[in-house]
Amino acid sequence: MPLKPETQRHPVDMAVGARIRLTRKARGVSQQALAEAVGLTFQQIQKYERGANRVSASKLAEIAAFLQVPVSELFGTDAAASGLTDELADLLGAPGALELLKTYGRLPRAQQSALVGFLGTLPAAR
């Protein structure tokens, strides 16, 4: 079955998926490990994380318990009305983003500034 276009995905499903992905990555858990823990395939976890499939309430509770977070953290009931939390979850869920941010945080202040300056000169950053 082909993936639904992003315009047909519900924003809540996409936000929940992004939070699952972000939390899973922050905990250092693979999609396979999460899938096994909650009785799914890793492909189903991928679909949840992309917002292609909705996560049932019971499965969301199992995922939250395994990741040791409250369900509300994955659902985003305390999220800012601005959508900033969802935007950050999407950004940090991009491949390599969390690892990049962790490395950036370990750099001295001068190197952080130099890196930000360098990245600003790249054509894709404009």
Side-chain angles (χ1 to χ4, degrees), residues 10-90:
H10 196 283
V12 172
D13 298 330
M14 293 175 66
V16 168
R19 286 187 183 96
I20 290 170
R21 180 178 58 241
L22 178 62
T23 305
R24 176 185 59 76
K25 288 180 139 192
R27 300 279 192 269
V29 175
S30 69
Q31 287 179 330
Q32 183 65 42
L34 177 57
E36 289 173 5
V38 297
L40 296 171
T41 64
F42 81 92
Q43 291 95 337
Q44 185 61 45
I45 297 296
Q46 286 178 326
K47 290 177 184 181
Y48 287 163
E49 290 184 357
R50 287 193 318 252
N53 286 5
R54 289 186 174 150
V55 183
S56 70
S58 59
K59 206 49 84 172
L60 187 63
E62 288 180 48
I63 291 169
F66 179 75
L67 295 174
Q68 299 178 326
V69 296
V71 171
S72 62
E73 189 170 320
L74 298 178
F75 193 75
T77 55
D78 296 331
S82 67
L84 181 60
T85 303
D86 293 337
E87 184 179 349
L88 289 173
D90 285 341

